[in-house]
Amino acid sequence: MDDTLNVTYLTFGGHVDVDRYRYVYFVIMFTIYILIICSNSVIVYLIWVHPNLHEPMYIFIAALLINSVLFSTTIYPKLLIDFLSDKQIISHQACLVQFHMFYSLAGAEFLLLAAMAYDRYVSICKPLQYPTIMSKTTVSIFLVSAWLLPACQLVLPTAMSAKEKLCRFILNGVFCNNTIYKLQCVISQARFVRDMVILLNVALVPVLFILFTYTRIFVISYRSSKEVRKKAAQTCLPHLIVLINFSCLCAYDVIVVGLEADFPKTFRLIMTLQMILYHPLFNPIVYGLKMKEIHKHLKRLFFPAKIK
């Protein structure tokens, strides 16, 4: 703690041999960060410029990819600075801001996936009502709600954490996630209940809604024509793959701290980096390869000579 400025500094204790491999870490993570920005931005650009992609499904995909870039930007700049610094530290206030942004954007991802599931349900199961139900107003409400609801719900726990007394000052990680709670002297039952309610609202309920919605879609499409089944598979499968991938990574983030598992530092680092490294690159790859219209425009963009 800096007594003269009354600023509390925390140390990231999750780095492995950062003094020895700092430049290797920096080059790898900087390259990945640029790839995340470019790959997600290319698909967002294609959706923006091509009128045939100005449909709710593609708008939600663009929002999801923008969310991935924001999610990465919450972590990567500070992480890159830490690789080149002698000390991997952060002020308590800045750590809480990162904590809030990290979980707000993670919650937004679940809500955006829920909105996409509802969009697919209406498109496949109620095609005649689709233009009326999925209007521009409805899409706008879904998008605003996806970003605002998690952020607003996390304001209280973040503000309460700022007032808690700290007994430890070394974070068992490389960025500020829920490991910040382990620094507090007392973890109250009320705080635990409050966090469980937030987790239920921004993660578990959307996941259950998505699973229910896609179950309904597959049941109805199974009873329908081959064309309907093909449409369901083509448009729903990428969303399910992204959901399963992100849910597994989030489950690790929540469970590993809750169980206080004594994993080796290297294993913790690898698993923690999966969420900020693998997933933001995974989204554009899945949607770029699996969504027929996006894939077609990608081929025209990168291989114009081969497209007649």
Side-chain angles (χ1 to χ4, degrees), residues 33 36-37 39-40 44 61-76 105 108-109 112 147 242 246 275-276 279-284 287:
Y33 184 43
I36 288 171
I37 294 174
S39 58
N40 284 278
V44 172
I61 289 174
L64 196 70
L65 300 181
I66 291 171
N67 195 72
S68 292
V69 174
L70 295 174
F71 184 82
S72 300
T73 302
T74 301
I75 306 299
Y76 274 84
L105 293 169
E109 178 121 358
L112 287 170
W147 275 306
V242 170
F246 192 65
M275 197 168 194
I276 63 169
H279 183 70
L281 278 175
F282 185 73
N283 283 357
Y287 290 119

PDB file of all heavy atoms in Angstrom, residues 33 36-37 39-40 44 61-76 105 108-109 112 147 242 246 275-276 279-284 287:
ATOM      1  N   TYR A  33      -3.667 -10.929 -29.755  1.00  0.00           N
ATOM      2  CA  TYR A  33      -4.566  -9.782 -29.581  1.00  0.00           C
ATOM      3  C   TYR A  33      -4.876  -9.117 -30.919  1.00  0.00           C
ATOM      4  O   TYR A  33      -6.037  -8.785 -31.209  1.00  0.00           O
ATOM      5  CB  TYR A  33      -3.933  -8.783 -28.619  1.00  0.00           C
ATOM      6  CG  TYR A  33      -4.797  -7.592 -28.281  1.00  0.00           C
ATOM      7  CD1 TYR A  33      -6.159  -7.744 -28.013  1.00  0.00           C
ATOM      8  CD2 TYR A  33      -4.253  -6.309 -28.207  1.00  0.00           C
ATOM      9  CE1 TYR A  33      -6.954  -6.663 -27.687  1.00  0.00           C
ATOM     10  CE2 TYR A  33      -5.040  -5.221 -27.877  1.00  0.00           C
ATOM     11  CZ  TYR A  33      -6.381  -5.400 -27.623  1.00  0.00           C
ATOM     12  OH  TYR A  33      -7.172  -4.319 -27.304  1.00  0.00           O
ATOM     13  N   ILE A  36      -7.220 -11.353 -32.812  1.00  0.00           N
ATOM     14  CA  ILE A  36      -8.581 -11.249 -32.276  1.00  0.00           C
ATOM     15  C   ILE A  36      -9.280 -10.015 -32.842  1.00  0.00           C
ATOM     16  O   ILE A  36     -10.418 -10.083 -33.318  1.00  0.00           O
ATOM     17  CB  ILE A  36      -8.546 -11.189 -30.734  1.00  0.00           C
ATOM     18  CG1 ILE A  36      -8.165 -12.555 -30.155  1.00  0.00           C
ATOM     19  CG2 ILE A  36      -9.904 -10.745 -30.183  1.00  0.00           C
ATOM     20  CD1 ILE A  36      -7.892 -12.527 -28.671  1.00  0.00           C
ATOM     21  N   ILE A  37      -8.587  -8.877 -32.810  1.00  0.00           N
ATOM     22  CA  ILE A  37      -9.177  -7.634 -33.318  1.00  0.00           C
ATOM     23  C   ILE A  37      -9.480  -7.740 -34.810  1.00  0.00           C
ATOM     24  O   ILE A  37     -10.583  -7.401 -35.264  1.00  0.00           O
ATOM     25  CB  ILE A  37      -8.239  -6.440 -33.041  1.00  0.00           C
ATOM     26  CG1 ILE A  37      -8.124  -6.187 -31.539  1.00  0.00           C
ATOM     27  CG2 ILE A  37      -8.742  -5.181 -33.753  1.00  0.00           C
ATOM     28  CD1 ILE A  37      -7.107  -5.128 -31.165  1.00  0.00           C
ATOM     29  N   SER A  39      -9.701 -10.522 -36.884  1.00  0.00           N
ATOM     30  CA  SER A  39     -10.638 -11.570 -37.298  1.00  0.00           C
ATOM     31  C   SER A  39     -12.077 -11.200 -36.956  1.00  0.00           C
ATOM     32  O   SER A  39     -12.992 -11.387 -37.784  1.00  0.00           O
ATOM     33  CB  SER A  39     -10.269 -12.908 -36.647  1.00  0.00           C
ATOM     34  OG  SER A  39     -10.273 -12.808 -35.238  1.00  0.00           O
ATOM     35  N   ASN A  40     -12.290 -10.661 -35.764  1.00  0.00           N
ATOM     36  CA  ASN A  40     -13.640 -10.252 -35.392  1.00  0.00           C
ATOM     37  C   ASN A  40     -14.101  -9.041 -36.193  1.00  0.00           C
ATOM     38  O   ASN A  40     -15.258  -8.968 -36.625  1.00  0.00           O
ATOM     39  CB  ASN A  40     -13.704  -9.931 -33.893  1.00  0.00           C
ATOM     40  CG  ASN A  40     -13.710 -11.171 -33.018  1.00  0.00           C
ATOM     41  OD1 ASN A  40     -14.735 -11.800 -32.812  1.00  0.00           O
ATOM     42  ND2 ASN A  40     -12.545 -11.539 -32.507  1.00  0.00           N
ATOM     43  N   VAL A  44     -17.467  -8.354 -38.710  1.00  0.00           N
ATOM     44  CA  VAL A  44     -18.356  -7.225 -38.402  1.00  0.00           C
ATOM     45  C   VAL A  44     -18.440  -6.287 -39.602  1.00  0.00           C
ATOM     46  O   VAL A  44     -19.524  -5.799 -39.962  1.00  0.00           O
ATOM     47  CB  VAL A  44     -17.863  -6.461 -37.154  1.00  0.00           C
ATOM     48  CG1 VAL A  44     -18.661  -5.176 -36.960  1.00  0.00           C
ATOM     49  CG2 VAL A  44     -17.977  -7.336 -35.912  1.00  0.00           C
ATOM     50  N   ILE A  61     -24.832 -11.649 -34.329  1.00  0.00           N
ATOM     51  CA  ILE A  61     -23.474 -12.183 -34.497  1.00  0.00           C
ATOM     52  C   ILE A  61     -22.453 -11.045 -34.442  1.00  0.00           C
ATOM     53  O   ILE A  61     -21.414 -11.158 -33.774  1.00  0.00           O
ATOM     54  CB  ILE A  61     -23.350 -12.955 -35.831  1.00  0.00           C
ATOM     55  CG1 ILE A  61     -24.135 -14.263 -35.756  1.00  0.00           C
ATOM     56  CG2 ILE A  61     -21.877 -13.242 -36.164  1.00  0.00           C
ATOM     57  CD1 ILE A  61     -24.192 -15.032 -37.072  1.00  0.00           C
ATOM     58  N   ALA A  62     -22.753  -9.938 -35.128  1.00  0.00           N
ATOM     59  CA  ALA A  62     -21.849  -8.780 -35.094  1.00  0.00           C
ATOM     60  C   ALA A  62     -21.695  -8.261 -33.670  1.00  0.00           C
ATOM     61  O   ALA A  62     -20.582  -7.932 -33.231  1.00  0.00           O
ATOM     62  CB  ALA A  62     -22.385  -7.674 -36.008  1.00  0.00           C
ATOM     63  N   ALA A  63     -22.797  -8.195 -32.929  1.00  0.00           N
ATOM     64  CA  ALA A  63     -22.740  -7.731 -31.538  1.00  0.00           C
ATOM     65  C   ALA A  63     -21.898  -8.675 -30.686  1.00  0.00           C
ATOM     66  O   ALA A  63     -21.120  -8.227 -29.835  1.00  0.00           O
ATOM     67  CB  ALA A  63     -24.160  -7.641 -30.967  1.00  0.00           C
ATOM     68  N   LEU A  64     -22.026  -9.971 -30.933  1.00  0.00           N
ATOM     69  CA  LEU A  64     -21.247 -10.960 -30.179  1.00  0.00           C
ATOM     70  C   LEU A  64     -19.750 -10.803 -30.459  1.00  0.00           C
ATOM     71  O   LEU A  64     -18.921 -10.898 -29.551  1.00  0.00           O
ATOM     72  CB  LEU A  64     -21.705 -12.369 -30.564  1.00  0.00           C
ATOM     73  CG  LEU A  64     -21.286 -13.516 -29.642  1.00  0.00           C
ATOM     74  CD1 LEU A  64     -22.028 -13.438 -28.319  1.00  0.00           C
ATOM     75  CD2 LEU A  64     -21.544 -14.862 -30.305  1.00  0.00           C
ATOM     76  N   LEU A  65     -19.402 -10.535 -31.709  1.00  0.00           N
ATOM     77  CA  LEU A  65     -17.999 -10.365 -32.077  1.00  0.00           C
ATOM     78  C   LEU A  65     -17.429  -9.053 -31.526  1.00  0.00           C
ATOM     79  O   LEU A  65     -16.266  -8.995 -31.107  1.00  0.00           O
ATOM     80  CB  LEU A  65     -17.843 -10.427 -33.594  1.00  0.00           C
ATOM     81  CG  LEU A  65     -18.294 -11.747 -34.245  1.00  0.00           C
ATOM     82  CD1 LEU A  65     -18.081 -11.702 -35.752  1.00  0.00           C
ATOM     83  CD2 LEU A  65     -17.564 -12.935 -33.647  1.00  0.00           C
ATOM     84  N   ILE A  66     -18.236  -7.996 -31.539  1.00  0.00           N
ATOM     85  CA  ILE A  66     -17.817  -6.736 -30.918  1.00  0.00           C
ATOM     86  C   ILE A  66     -17.593  -6.951 -29.424  1.00  0.00           C
ATOM     87  O   ILE A  66     -16.622  -6.443 -28.837  1.00  0.00           O
ATOM     88  CB  ILE A  66     -18.869  -5.630 -31.156  1.00  0.00           C
ATOM     89  CG1 ILE A  66     -18.905  -5.238 -32.642  1.00  0.00           C
ATOM     90  CG2 ILE A  66     -18.579  -4.401 -30.295  1.00  0.00           C
ATOM     91  CD1 ILE A  66     -20.050  -4.326 -33.016  1.00  0.00           C
ATOM     92  N   ASN A  67     -18.473  -7.730 -28.816  1.00  0.00           N
ATOM     93  CA  ASN A  67     -18.335  -8.041 -27.391  1.00  0.00           C
ATOM     94  C   ASN A  67     -17.031  -8.791 -27.124  1.00  0.00           C
ATOM     95  O   ASN A  67     -16.369  -8.563 -26.101  1.00  0.00           O
ATOM     96  CB  ASN A  67     -19.528  -8.875 -26.928  1.00  0.00           C
ATOM     97  CG  ASN A  67     -19.666  -8.929 -25.420  1.00  0.00           C
ATOM     98  OD1 ASN A  67     -20.040  -7.954 -24.782  1.00  0.00           O
ATOM     99  ND2 ASN A  67     -19.348 -10.071 -24.837  1.00  0.00           N
ATOM    100  N   SER A  68     -16.646  -9.673 -28.039  1.00  0.00           N
ATOM    101  CA  SER A  68     -15.385 -10.411 -27.886  1.00  0.00           C
ATOM    102  C   SER A  68     -14.179  -9.478 -27.906  1.00  0.00           C
ATOM    103  O   SER A  68     -13.227  -9.660 -27.136  1.00  0.00           O
ATOM    104  CB  SER A  68     -15.248 -11.454 -29.008  1.00  0.00           C
ATOM    105  OG  SER A  68     -16.192 -12.488 -28.869  1.00  0.00           O
ATOM    106  N   VAL A  69     -14.227  -8.474 -28.792  1.00  0.00           N
ATOM    107  CA  VAL A  69     -13.130  -7.499 -28.863  1.00  0.00           C
ATOM    108  C   VAL A  69     -13.061  -6.672 -27.583  1.00  0.00           C
ATOM    109  O   VAL A  69     -11.982  -6.437 -27.017  1.00  0.00           O
ATOM    110  CB  VAL A  69     -13.298  -6.582 -30.088  1.00  0.00           C
ATOM    111  CG1 VAL A  69     -12.250  -5.477 -30.077  1.00  0.00           C
ATOM    112  CG2 VAL A  69     -13.183  -7.394 -31.380  1.00  0.00           C
ATOM    113  N   LEU A  70     -14.218  -6.224 -27.094  1.00  0.00           N
ATOM    114  CA  LEU A  70     -14.259  -5.458 -25.848  1.00  0.00           C
ATOM    115  C   LEU A  70     -13.775  -6.310 -24.673  1.00  0.00           C
ATOM    116  O   LEU A  70     -13.023  -5.842 -23.808  1.00  0.00           O
ATOM    117  CB  LEU A  70     -15.682  -4.971 -25.577  1.00  0.00           C
ATOM    118  CG  LEU A  70     -16.259  -3.960 -26.573  1.00  0.00           C
ATOM    119  CD1 LEU A  70     -17.727  -3.686 -26.256  1.00  0.00           C
ATOM    120  CD2 LEU A  70     -15.459  -2.671 -26.548  1.00  0.00           C
ATOM    121  N   PHE A  71     -14.196  -7.570 -24.652  1.00  0.00           N
ATOM    122  CA  PHE A  71     -13.793  -8.515 -23.613  1.00  0.00           C
ATOM    123  C   PHE A  71     -12.270  -8.670 -23.597  1.00  0.00           C
ATOM    124  O   PHE A  71     -11.637  -8.625 -22.539  1.00  0.00           O
ATOM    125  CB  PHE A  71     -14.477  -9.861 -23.893  1.00  0.00           C
ATOM    126  CG  PHE A  71     -14.238 -10.922 -22.863  1.00  0.00           C
ATOM    127  CD1 PHE A  71     -14.982 -10.961 -21.700  1.00  0.00           C
ATOM    128  CD2 PHE A  71     -13.275 -11.893 -23.063  1.00  0.00           C
ATOM    129  CE1 PHE A  71     -14.770 -11.950 -20.751  1.00  0.00           C
ATOM    130  CE2 PHE A  71     -13.045 -12.884 -22.122  1.00  0.00           C
ATOM    131  CZ  PHE A  71     -13.801 -12.913 -20.964  1.00  0.00           C
ATOM    132  N   SER A  72     -11.683  -8.820 -24.780  1.00  0.00           N
ATOM    133  CA  SER A  72     -10.232  -8.976 -24.885  1.00  0.00           C
ATOM    134  C   SER A  72      -9.506  -7.698 -24.488  1.00  0.00           C
ATOM    135  O   SER A  72      -8.457  -7.744 -23.830  1.00  0.00           O
ATOM    136  CB  SER A  72      -9.846  -9.367 -26.320  1.00  0.00           C
ATOM    137  OG  SER A  72     -10.455 -10.584 -26.688  1.00  0.00           O
ATOM    138  N   THR A  73     -10.067  -6.557 -24.876  1.00  0.00           N
ATOM    139  CA  THR A  73      -9.437  -5.272 -24.581  1.00  0.00           C
ATOM    140  C   THR A  73      -9.460  -4.961 -23.080  1.00  0.00           C
ATOM    141  O   THR A  73      -8.628  -4.189 -22.588  1.00  0.00           O
ATOM    142  CB  THR A  73     -10.134  -4.152 -25.378  1.00  0.00           C
ATOM    143  OG1 THR A  73     -10.061  -4.468 -26.772  1.00  0.00           O
ATOM    144  CG2 THR A  73      -9.476  -2.808 -25.158  1.00  0.00           C
ATOM    145  N   THR A  74     -10.373  -5.569 -22.359  1.00  0.00           N
ATOM    146  CA  THR A  74     -10.398  -5.430 -20.906  1.00  0.00           C
ATOM    147  C   THR A  74      -9.163  -6.055 -20.270  1.00  0.00           C
ATOM    148  O   THR A  74      -8.692  -5.609 -19.225  1.00  0.00           O
ATOM    149  CB  THR A  74     -11.669  -6.097 -20.331  1.00  0.00           C
ATOM    150  OG1 THR A  74     -12.820  -5.482 -20.897  1.00  0.00           O
ATOM    151  CG2 THR A  74     -11.733  -5.970 -18.821  1.00  0.00           C
ATOM    152  N   ILE A  75      -8.610  -7.095 -20.917  1.00  0.00           N
ATOM    153  CA  ILE A  75      -7.524  -7.885 -20.328  1.00  0.00           C
ATOM    154  C   ILE A  75      -6.168  -7.630 -20.984  1.00  0.00           C
ATOM    155  O   ILE A  75      -5.154  -7.414 -20.314  1.00  0.00           O
ATOM    156  CB  ILE A  75      -7.837  -9.390 -20.418  1.00  0.00           C
ATOM    157  CG1 ILE A  75      -9.208  -9.696 -19.805  1.00  0.00           C
ATOM    158  CG2 ILE A  75      -6.737 -10.217 -19.750  1.00  0.00           C
ATOM    159  CD1 ILE A  75      -9.328  -9.360 -18.351  1.00  0.00           C
ATOM    160  N   TYR A  76      -6.119  -7.657 -22.311  1.00  0.00           N
ATOM    161  CA  TYR A  76      -4.837  -7.720 -23.022  1.00  0.00           C
ATOM    162  C   TYR A  76      -3.907  -6.527 -22.804  1.00  0.00           C
ATOM    163  O   TYR A  76      -2.710  -6.739 -22.549  1.00  0.00           O
ATOM    164  CB  TYR A  76      -5.080  -7.921 -24.523  1.00  0.00           C
ATOM    165  CG  TYR A  76      -5.242  -9.375 -24.902  1.00  0.00           C
ATOM    166  CD1 TYR A  76      -6.470 -10.007 -24.774  1.00  0.00           C
ATOM    167  CD2 TYR A  76      -4.170 -10.131 -25.370  1.00  0.00           C
ATOM    168  CE1 TYR A  76      -6.633 -11.341 -25.102  1.00  0.00           C
ATOM    169  CE2 TYR A  76      -4.320 -11.468 -25.706  1.00  0.00           C
ATOM    170  CZ  TYR A  76      -5.548 -12.066 -25.568  1.00  0.00           C
ATOM    171  OH  TYR A  76      -5.704 -13.387 -25.884  1.00  0.00           O
ATOM    172  N   LEU A 105     -19.101  -8.130 -19.464  1.00  0.00           N
ATOM    173  CA  LEU A 105     -19.030  -8.565 -20.856  1.00  0.00           C
ATOM    174  C   LEU A 105     -19.229 -10.072 -20.986  1.00  0.00           C
ATOM    175  O   LEU A 105     -19.766 -10.547 -21.995  1.00  0.00           O
ATOM    176  CB  LEU A 105     -17.684  -8.138 -21.459  1.00  0.00           C
ATOM    177  CG  LEU A 105     -17.524  -6.611 -21.600  1.00  0.00           C
ATOM    178  CD1 LEU A 105     -16.082  -6.252 -21.936  1.00  0.00           C
ATOM    179  CD2 LEU A 105     -18.472  -6.066 -22.666  1.00  0.00           C
ATOM    180  N   ALA A 108     -22.885 -10.395 -20.821  1.00  0.00           N
ATOM    181  CA  ALA A 108     -23.457  -9.928 -22.090  1.00  0.00           C
ATOM    182  C   ALA A 108     -23.387 -11.022 -23.152  1.00  0.00           C
ATOM    183  O   ALA A 108     -24.297 -11.159 -23.976  1.00  0.00           O
ATOM    184  CB  ALA A 108     -22.722  -8.681 -22.561  1.00  0.00           C
ATOM    185  N   GLU A 109     -22.309 -11.809 -23.127  1.00  0.00           N
ATOM    186  CA  GLU A 109     -22.170 -12.894 -24.106  1.00  0.00           C
ATOM    187  C   GLU A 109     -23.304 -13.907 -23.955  1.00  0.00           C
ATOM    188  O   GLU A 109     -23.902 -14.345 -24.942  1.00  0.00           O
ATOM    189  CB  GLU A 109     -20.819 -13.591 -23.937  1.00  0.00           C
ATOM    190  CG  GLU A 109     -20.607 -14.750 -24.866  1.00  0.00           C
ATOM    191  CD  GLU A 109     -19.397 -14.586 -25.764  1.00  0.00           C
ATOM    192  OE1 GLU A 109     -18.728 -13.543 -25.698  1.00  0.00           O
ATOM    193  OE2 GLU A 109     -19.142 -15.505 -26.546  1.00  0.00           O
ATOM    194  N   LEU A 112     -26.560 -12.305 -25.206  1.00  0.00           N
ATOM    195  CA  LEU A 112     -26.581 -12.218 -26.673  1.00  0.00           C
ATOM    196  C   LEU A 112     -26.858 -13.588 -27.297  1.00  0.00           C
ATOM    197  O   LEU A 112     -27.603 -13.694 -28.276  1.00  0.00           O
ATOM    198  CB  LEU A 112     -25.252 -11.653 -27.184  1.00  0.00           C
ATOM    199  CG  LEU A 112     -25.030 -10.151 -26.955  1.00  0.00           C
ATOM    200  CD1 LEU A 112     -23.591  -9.765 -27.270  1.00  0.00           C
ATOM    201  CD2 LEU A 112     -25.994  -9.329 -27.807  1.00  0.00           C
ATOM    202  N   TRP A 147     -26.161  -5.703 -22.877  1.00  0.00           N
ATOM    203  CA  TRP A 147     -24.987  -5.003 -22.336  1.00  0.00           C
ATOM    204  C   TRP A 147     -25.278  -4.287 -21.017  1.00  0.00           C
ATOM    205  O   TRP A 147     -24.400  -4.216 -20.147  1.00  0.00           O
ATOM    206  CB  TRP A 147     -24.441  -4.017 -23.355  1.00  0.00           C
ATOM    207  CG  TRP A 147     -23.491  -4.654 -24.336  1.00  0.00           C
ATOM    208  CD1 TRP A 147     -22.378  -5.377 -24.041  1.00  0.00           C
ATOM    209  CD2 TRP A 147     -23.567  -4.644 -25.767  1.00  0.00           C
ATOM    210  NE1 TRP A 147     -21.757  -5.819 -25.188  1.00  0.00           N
ATOM    211  CE2 TRP A 147     -22.463  -5.381 -26.278  1.00  0.00           C
ATOM    212  CE3 TRP A 147     -24.463  -4.088 -26.674  1.00  0.00           C
ATOM    213  CZ2 TRP A 147     -22.224  -5.563 -27.633  1.00  0.00           C
ATOM    214  CZ3 TRP A 147     -24.233  -4.276 -28.034  1.00  0.00           C
ATOM    215  CH2 TRP A 147     -23.127  -5.003 -28.504  1.00  0.00           C
ATOM    216  N   VAL A 242     -20.527 -22.384 -29.807  1.00  0.00           N
ATOM    217  CA  VAL A 242     -20.006 -21.227 -29.072  1.00  0.00           C
ATOM    218  C   VAL A 242     -20.489 -21.256 -27.624  1.00  0.00           C
ATOM    219  O   VAL A 242     -19.724 -20.996 -26.691  1.00  0.00           O
ATOM    220  CB  VAL A 242     -20.434 -19.916 -29.764  1.00  0.00           C
ATOM    221  CG1 VAL A 242     -20.124 -18.708 -28.887  1.00  0.00           C
ATOM    222  CG2 VAL A 242     -19.729 -19.776 -31.113  1.00  0.00           C
ATOM    223  N   PHE A 246     -17.969 -21.518 -24.375  1.00  0.00           N
ATOM    224  CA  PHE A 246     -17.901 -20.416 -23.415  1.00  0.00           C
ATOM    225  C   PHE A 246     -18.391 -20.854 -22.037  1.00  0.00           C
ATOM    226  O   PHE A 246     -17.833 -20.443 -21.014  1.00  0.00           O
ATOM    227  CB  PHE A 246     -18.722 -19.233 -23.918  1.00  0.00           C
ATOM    228  CG  PHE A 246     -18.501 -17.963 -23.150  1.00  0.00           C
ATOM    229  CD1 PHE A 246     -17.256 -17.346 -23.170  1.00  0.00           C
ATOM    230  CD2 PHE A 246     -19.520 -17.385 -22.410  1.00  0.00           C
ATOM    231  CE1 PHE A 246     -17.042 -16.168 -22.461  1.00  0.00           C
ATOM    232  CE2 PHE A 246     -19.308 -16.209 -21.704  1.00  0.00           C
ATOM    233  CZ  PHE A 246     -18.065 -15.606 -21.729  1.00  0.00           C
ATOM    234  N   MET A 275      -9.681 -18.622 -21.634  1.00  0.00           N
ATOM    235  CA  MET A 275     -10.865 -17.765 -21.727  1.00  0.00           C
ATOM    236  C   MET A 275     -10.597 -16.503 -22.532  1.00  0.00           C
ATOM    237  O   MET A 275     -11.468 -16.023 -23.254  1.00  0.00           O
ATOM    238  CB  MET A 275     -11.340 -17.404 -20.320  1.00  0.00           C
ATOM    239  CG  MET A 275     -12.750 -16.869 -20.255  1.00  0.00           C
ATOM    240  SD  MET A 275     -13.333 -16.800 -18.560  1.00  0.00           S
ATOM    241  CE  MET A 275     -15.083 -16.576 -18.851  1.00  0.00           C
ATOM    242  N   ILE A 276      -9.400 -15.953 -22.408  1.00  0.00           N
ATOM    243  CA  ILE A 276      -9.088 -14.696 -23.095  1.00  0.00           C
ATOM    244  C   ILE A 276      -8.316 -14.922 -24.384  1.00  0.00           C
ATOM    245  O   ILE A 276      -8.146 -14.000 -25.175  1.00  0.00           O
ATOM    246  CB  ILE A 276      -8.303 -13.751 -22.170  1.00  0.00           C
ATOM    247  CG1 ILE A 276      -6.943 -14.360 -21.786  1.00  0.00           C
ATOM    248  CG2 ILE A 276      -9.113 -13.404 -20.946  1.00  0.00           C
ATOM    249  CD1 ILE A 276      -5.999 -13.408 -21.108  1.00  0.00           C
ATOM    250  N   HIS A 279     -11.190 -18.409 -26.736  1.00  0.00           N
ATOM    251  CA  HIS A 279     -12.584 -18.111 -27.058  1.00  0.00           C
ATOM    252  C   HIS A 279     -12.775 -16.921 -28.007  1.00  0.00           C
ATOM    253  O   HIS A 279     -13.552 -17.017 -28.966  1.00  0.00           O
ATOM    254  CB  HIS A 279     -13.388 -17.901 -25.778  1.00  0.00           C
ATOM    255  CG  HIS A 279     -14.844 -17.654 -26.032  1.00  0.00           C
ATOM    256  ND1 HIS A 279     -15.695 -18.635 -26.486  1.00  0.00           N
ATOM    257  CD2 HIS A 279     -15.586 -16.522 -25.922  1.00  0.00           C
ATOM    258  CE1 HIS A 279     -16.899 -18.131 -26.630  1.00  0.00           C
ATOM    259  NE2 HIS A 279     -16.860 -16.859 -26.307  1.00  0.00           N
ATOM    260  N   PRO A 280     -12.114 -15.764 -27.792  1.00  0.00           N
ATOM    261  CA  PRO A 280     -12.319 -14.646 -28.723  1.00  0.00           C
ATOM    262  C   PRO A 280     -11.881 -14.947 -30.151  1.00  0.00           C
ATOM    263  O   PRO A 280     -12.369 -14.318 -31.096  1.00  0.00           O
ATOM    264  CB  PRO A 280     -11.448 -13.526 -28.122  1.00  0.00           C
ATOM    265  CG  PRO A 280     -11.343 -13.873 -26.679  1.00  0.00           C
ATOM    266  CD  PRO A 280     -11.273 -15.366 -26.647  1.00  0.00           C
ATOM    267  N   LEU A 281     -10.962 -15.904 -30.330  1.00  0.00           N
ATOM    268  CA  LEU A 281     -10.580 -16.335 -31.679  1.00  0.00           C
ATOM    269  C   LEU A 281     -11.528 -17.401 -32.211  1.00  0.00           C
ATOM    270  O   LEU A 281     -11.693 -17.549 -33.424  1.00  0.00           O
ATOM    271  CB  LEU A 281      -9.150 -16.897 -31.670  1.00  0.00           C
ATOM    272  CG  LEU A 281      -8.000 -15.891 -31.732  1.00  0.00           C
ATOM    273  CD1 LEU A 281      -6.671 -16.621 -31.595  1.00  0.00           C
ATOM    274  CD2 LEU A 281      -8.032 -15.082 -33.021  1.00  0.00           C
ATOM    275  N   PHE A 282     -12.128 -18.136 -31.303  1.00  0.00           N
ATOM    276  CA  PHE A 282     -13.013 -19.234 -31.669  1.00  0.00           C
ATOM    277  C   PHE A 282     -14.284 -18.722 -32.345  1.00  0.00           C
ATOM    278  O   PHE A 282     -14.754 -19.299 -33.328  1.00  0.00           O
ATOM    279  CB  PHE A 282     -13.355 -20.033 -30.399  1.00  0.00           C
ATOM    280  CG  PHE A 282     -14.168 -21.266 -30.638  1.00  0.00           C
ATOM    281  CD1 PHE A 282     -13.589 -22.386 -31.213  1.00  0.00           C
ATOM    282  CD2 PHE A 282     -15.502 -21.324 -30.273  1.00  0.00           C
ATOM    283  CE1 PHE A 282     -14.333 -23.541 -31.418  1.00  0.00           C
ATOM    284  CE2 PHE A 282     -16.251 -22.465 -30.481  1.00  0.00           C
ATOM    285  CZ  PHE A 282     -15.661 -23.579 -31.056  1.00  0.00           C
ATOM    286  N   ASN A 283     -14.844 -17.632 -31.817  1.00  0.00           N
ATOM    287  CA  ASN A 283     -16.098 -17.091 -32.356  1.00  0.00           C
ATOM    288  C   ASN A 283     -16.030 -16.755 -33.846  1.00  0.00           C
ATOM    289  O   ASN A 283     -16.861 -17.219 -34.633  1.00  0.00           O
ATOM    290  CB  ASN A 283     -16.528 -15.863 -31.557  1.00  0.00           C
ATOM    291  CG  ASN A 283     -17.144 -16.225 -30.226  1.00  0.00           C
ATOM    292  OD1 ASN A 283     -17.310 -17.392 -29.907  1.00  0.00           O
ATOM    293  ND2 ASN A 283     -17.483 -15.225 -29.432  1.00  0.00           N
ATOM    294  N   PRO A 284     -15.070 -15.915 -34.287  1.00  0.00           N
ATOM    295  CA  PRO A 284     -15.040 -15.589 -35.719  1.00  0.00           C
ATOM    296  C   PRO A 284     -14.741 -16.790 -36.608  1.00  0.00           C
ATOM    297  O   PRO A 284     -15.209 -16.853 -37.751  1.00  0.00           O
ATOM    298  CB  PRO A 284     -13.923 -14.539 -35.820  1.00  0.00           C
ATOM    299  CG  PRO A 284     -13.098 -14.715 -34.605  1.00  0.00           C
ATOM    300  CD  PRO A 284     -14.035 -15.172 -33.532  1.00  0.00           C
ATOM    301  N   TYR A 287     -18.199 -18.760 -36.828  1.00  0.00           N
ATOM    302  CA  TYR A 287     -19.196 -18.070 -37.644  1.00  0.00           C
ATOM    303  C   TYR A 287     -18.707 -17.842 -39.067  1.00  0.00           C
ATOM    304  O   TYR A 287     -19.504 -17.820 -40.004  1.00  0.00           O
ATOM    305  CB  TYR A 287     -19.586 -16.740 -36.985  1.00  0.00           C
ATOM    306  CG  TYR A 287     -20.395 -16.939 -35.731  1.00  0.00           C
ATOM    307  CD1 TYR A 287     -19.934 -16.484 -34.502  1.00  0.00           C
ATOM    308  CD2 TYR A 287     -21.614 -17.607 -35.767  1.00  0.00           C
ATOM    309  CE1 TYR A 287     -20.671 -16.680 -33.342  1.00  0.00           C
ATOM    310  CE2 TYR A 287     -22.351 -17.810 -34.614  1.00  0.00           C
ATOM    311  CZ  TYR A 287     -21.872 -17.346 -33.411  1.00  0.00           C
ATOM    312  OH  TYR A 287     -22.610 -17.547 -32.274  1.00  0.00           O
TER     313      TYR A 287
END
